[in-house]
Amino acid sequence: MKSQIMALLLILAASVAVAQEAHYFVRVKGQASSIDKVAVNGRSVIEGTIASISMPLLVTNYLRPGQNALTATFTSSPREAFTIVVERRQGGTTKQVAQLSAPANASKGRPMNRAINFTVPAVDVQRVTVKLSQQDEAEIKSRLIDLHNALERKDMSHLKRAMKPGVDDLKSYYPEMAEFFTTMVDQFLGEMVQDRRFKMKPFRTDGLVITAKGRVATVARRDGKPVFESAAIKESNGGGSSSSQISATEVKFKRIGGNWHPILHDN
């Protein structure tokens, strides 16, 4: 149920990039006994105790012009080599720019630390922030209301059409995450919306604040409450209870093909 609750929050996240901009990823290859932390410039990319992760992680927003640092704390596997790489993707081309490696059993069963520096051109990470006009804000609000109304009508076909430009934009540089979001929509959000108990709460147009960073416009509420949300669907199972709910605390948009559209990943 928790995955259902998070579905729309994930779907309505955003990206600050366009297809021809450069995007940087951290990718794990092989397997460790445990990965305790991976960080870029001190900001955690992976934190916890896992053995591996198949999804590349988008880290463009963690970077700065010039020298950057990739650090990792992990316990190597006794049988398998382990590698962490930084990838640069642009215009369909992928290039490796940094790599941390450890052969099998390098840490002898104890946590070890590794670090490497890499250089990023200023043009890759400096984004020009759009200036929003009244017309832009009016279009964004109209698109936002359209999303809410599609959910209220339980019209998943319309919702998918509204999201398609953002999905296609994400596919151009992060196809792995685009596939994940599509699965979330089909398997979790669709199931929740079609539940006979599903109901959107009334949408309020007052108190909305629209801000821009890079090429992304973010809609939030001045009071910090959700931009829109559904009533909770409560379930009982195994003597306990859980609930499913759409609760979008912010919704992000980008101009794609001359119009503003909801988009999928913030980086």
Side-chain angles (χ1 to χ4, degrees), residues 165 182 204:
T182 300
R204 297 185 298 109

Side-chain angles (χ1 to χ4, degrees), residues 71-178:
T71 58
T73 301
F74 59 92
T75 303
S76 59
S77 166
R79 293 176 296 276
E80 188 172 348
F82 175 69
T83 302
I84 304 172
V85 300
V86 178
E87 292 180 349
R88 179 185 185 273
R89 298 181 184 179
Q90 185 179 35
T93 300
T94 298
K95 179 182 178 181
Q96 182 175 304
V97 297
Q99 175 177 306
L100 286 176
S101 297
N105 204 34
S107 68
K108 308 297 183 183
R110 296 185 298 272
M112 66 184 300
N113 298 308
R114 287 285 176 89
I116 191 170
N117 293 329
F118 59 99
T119 301
V120 173
V123 68
D124 282 0
V125 293
Q126 292 176 342
R127 311 295 197 204
V128 177
T129 295
V130 297
K131 293 183 178 180
L132 298 174
S133 66
Q134 290 184 343
Q135 183 177 348
D136 289 327
E137 293 191 1
E139 182 183 348
I140 289 167
K141 287 180 181 178
S142 176
R143 298 276 182 177
L144 182 65
I145 293 169
D146 182 62
L147 288 175
H148 175 273
N149 291 347
L151 288 165
E152 190 172 53
R153 297 192 308 269
K154 301 188 176 187
D155 189 346
M156 289 299 297
S157 294
H158 185 91
L159 187 67
K160 289 179 182 180
R161 286 195 300 272
M163 292 167 51
K164 188 177 186 303
V167 174
D168 290 343
D169 180 69
L170 189 62
K171 283 180 181 177
S172 69
Y173 63 93
Y174 202 177
E176 302 92 342
M177 187 59 74

Side-chain angles (χ1 to χ4, degrees), residues 210-229:
I210 304 177
T211 56
K213 182 180 180 182
R215 289 182 169 86
V216 166
T218 301
V219 184
R221 290 198 179 276
R222 191 172 286 108
D223 59 11
K225 293 182 179 180
V227 174
F228 56 70
E229 62 182 336

Side-chain angles (χ1 to χ4, degrees), residues 159-202:
L159 187 67
K160 289 179 182 180
R161 286 195 300 272
M163 292 167 51
K164 188 177 186 303
V167 174
D168 290 343
D169 180 69
L170 189 62
K171 283 180 181 177
S172 69
Y173 63 93
Y174 202 177
E176 302 92 342
M177 187 59 74
E179 181 180 358
F180 170 77
F181 279 124
T182 300
T183 300
M184 291 287 286
V185 171
D186 291 341
Q187 295 186 3
F188 298 111
L189 183 61
E191 180 182 334
M192 179 167 53
V193 168
Q194 296 308 318
D195 190 300
R196 60 180 178 79
R197 297 167 294 174
F198 177 83
K199 184 178 181 180
M200 291 297 293
K201 294 183 179 181

